[in-house]
Amino acid sequence: MNLVSLRVITHDVARLVAFYEQVTGVPATWSTPEFAELVTESGTLALASERTVALFGAGSARPAANRTVITEFRVADVDAEYERLTSLCDEFVQKPTTMPWGNRSLLFRDPDGNLINFFTPVTPEAVQRQGG
């Protein structure tokens, strides 16, 4: 089994795509006006309109209702990313902090309120665990 993507359902695909393109630097590939993907080396972030939910089962997902999932991106320098993102993000949940497991982490919200974690492994153990 291989995790290949995470899909976020939203009321405004264009707005969320623009946000993620800015914060990640990854251009989106649009399949339809209702669905776009940001493809990285390790996985894909898919962004879809609430209208696509009916294809899976009406009411099976709700936009802007997530309070359990954190989408995580490994970055080269969390502190530099924090400085870059201060003009793009409305809500930082946690400024750069070194976590007990050895990652330096920055937690913020996208325009729909979904949590995003940018992290950099900083201890030798974390670097090894993350594959260098």
Side-chain angles (χ1 to χ4, degrees):
M1 184 179 307
N2 188 19
L3 177 65
V4 290
S5 77
L6 172 75
R7 184 177 312 192
V8 177
I9 302 298
T10 182
H11 293 294
D12 189 339
V13 179
R15 177 187 68 161
L16 215 53
V17 166
F19 175 82
Y20 278 99
E21 284 180 323
Q22 286 184 310
V23 300
T24 66
V26 176
T29 302
W30 288 84
S31 298
T32 73
E34 306 287 328
F35 184 85
E37 296 176 308
L38 285 82
V39 179
T40 73
E41 291 179 29
S42 59
T44 298
L45 177 62
L47 303 162
S49 164
E50 64 188 317
R51 291 177 289 284
T52 66
V53 173
L55 299 171
F56 298 101
S60 60
R62 286 186 308 252
N66 171 37
R67 290 292 185 243
T68 60
V69 175
I70 302 172
T71 303
E72 299 187 305
F73 295 92
R74 182 174 161 178
V75 298
D77 184 340
V78 163
D79 294 283
E81 290 294 331
Y82 172 68
E83 293 302 320
R84 183 180 70 85
L85 294 174
T86 55
S87 64
L88 298 173
C89 297
D90 291 332
E91 183 181 352
F92 288 98
V93 175
Q94 180 184 57
K95 293 181 180 179
T97 303
T98 301
M99 305 306 284
W101 45 89
N103 291 338
R104 190 141 174 87
S105 179
L106 166 65
L107 198 62
F108 57 101
R109 293 193 186 277
D110 73 14
D112 281 0
N114 301 303
L115 285 170
I116 303 167
N117 181 30
F118 275 13
F119 74 94
T120 304
V122 293
T123 65
E125 296 82 12
V127 170
Q128 182 179 8
R129 190 174 52 252
Q130 291 291 323

